[in-house]
Amino acid sequence: MNNEELIMAAREARKTAYAPYSHFQVGAALLTDTGRVYCGCNIENAAYGPSNCAERTAFFKAVSEGERSFRKIAVVGGREGTEADALCAPCGICRQVMQEFCDPEKFKIILTDGRGKIRELSLGELLPYGFGAENLSR
Ligand code: THU
């Protein structure tokens, strides 16, 4: 699975976003070390707090299916009814969820807009000095 295919999967996932409050629709496609892809969209809630981002939806689907090793995630987000017109980077909570399961140097986040711009970053670049399980085992 190459980056283009993963981006296409994220674009498809964005179509299922449930975002009646922000009208900002996000899709994510998460690639495991074994080559499987788990997709996610943002899922909002009238009480706002229970809302879930696309990235976490993809991670929680994968982890709940027994997956523990991940290679990369593609993310695309933008206002409803538009192609994404800017890059959409994961929020802090999603970065922390990635930190739980991914190697900060190896795991890659692929950001893309609807105009063909692509930026690939490591988790370590997005979350430097991240807090993880090793901090608790010292
Ligand atoms: N959102 C995501 O799903 N992923 C991101 O990377 C940024 C924000 C969602 C949360 C909320 O449903 C909407 O976008 C507006 O913040």
Side-chain angles (χ1 to χ4, degrees), residues 95 104-105 107-109 119-128:
R95 294 177 199 199
E105 305 311 317
F107 186 72
K108 299 289 190 287
I109 296 116
R119 182 112 196 251
E120 185 168 326
L121 299 150
S122 69
L123 176 58
E125 288 176 290
L126 283 180
L127 188 64

Side-chain angles (χ1 to χ4, degrees), residues 65-105:
E65 297 289 327
E67 303 287 356
R68 294 292 185 271
S69 304
F70 303 101
R71 204 173 294 171
K72 51 177 76 172
I73 189 168
V75 184
V76 58
R79 273 194 70 77
E80 183 183 292
T82 69
E83 287 298 318
D85 58 9
L87 300 180
C88 171
C91 79
I93 295 174
C94 289
R95 294 177 199 199
Q96 185 63 33
V97 168
M98 292 173 194
Q99 175 83 21
E100 184 68 25
F101 297 102
C102 306
D103 182 323
E105 305 311 317

Side-chain angles (χ1 to χ4, degrees), residues 18-19 22 24-26 41-44 51-55 75 88-91 94:
Y18 178 74
S22 73
F24 190 86
Q25 299 178 318
V26 187
C41 62
N42 54 333
I43 304 168
E44 297 185 348
S51 299
N52 206 56
C53 290
E55 297 90 324
V75 184
C88 171
C91 79
C94 289

